Amino acid sequence: MFITAFTRGGTEYTPKFLISIDMKTCIGCGRCYKVCGQDVMTLRGVTEEGELVDCSDEEDDDDEILRKVMVMAHPELCIGCGACNRVCPKDCQTHEPVER
């Protein structure tokens, strides 16, 4: 049995929660981050070795970063609204219902 919720009007629905983000497809645009009010994702840098590192405002650190991607920081905070998926230009996220 999946977790269910109700709209304001009382209609029942099954939320689809963010399960994963494909780092190979993600372009790190930040659109999903901007629409998420739950602090589920964060922007990380990817080095030549494929390691994830914190992004900073300092130029020295940016020299090591090849590109930036979104990663799940707090997946347990996802409410399954799907806003992040609707704004993603690369369709790099996987959303699924969760069983109770």
Side-chain angles (χ1 to χ4, degrees):
M1 177 175 229
F2 293 117
I3 293 173
T4 57
F6 293 92
T7 66
R8 183 175 175 177
T11 303
E12 186 176 15
Y13 70 98
T14 302
K16 293 186 179 178
F17 300 93
L18 180 61
I19 302 300
S20 66
I21 301 171
D22 184 348
M23 288 186 0
K24 293 177 184 167
T25 308
C26 179
I27 59 173
C29 66
R31 291 179 181 146
C32 55
Y33 178 80
K34 291 175 184 172
V35 299
C36 180
Q38 303 300 315
D39 197 29
V40 174
M41 297 160 278
T42 191
L43 191 64
R44 302 289 301 271
V46 180
T47 66
E48 279 188 32
E49 295 80 28
E51 294 179 38
L52 289 175
V53 296
D54 288 332
C55 294
S56 70
D57 295 331
E58 297 179 26
E59 277 185 40
D60 295 339
D61 292 339
D62 284 344
D63 291 340
E64 298 175 6
I65 296 173
L66 293 180
R67 62 192 191 92
K68 296 180 181 179
V69 296
M70 278 298 157
V71 297
M72 294 172 50
H74 302 285
E76 71 279 4
L77 299 178
C78 180
I79 61 172
C81 69
C84 56
N85 195 43
R86 287 191 295 278
V87 298
C88 181
K90 299 305 261 181
D91 194 28
C92 63
Q93 302 171 355
T94 301
H95 294 259
E96 294 178 0
V98 174
E99 291 193 41
R100 289 183 194 219

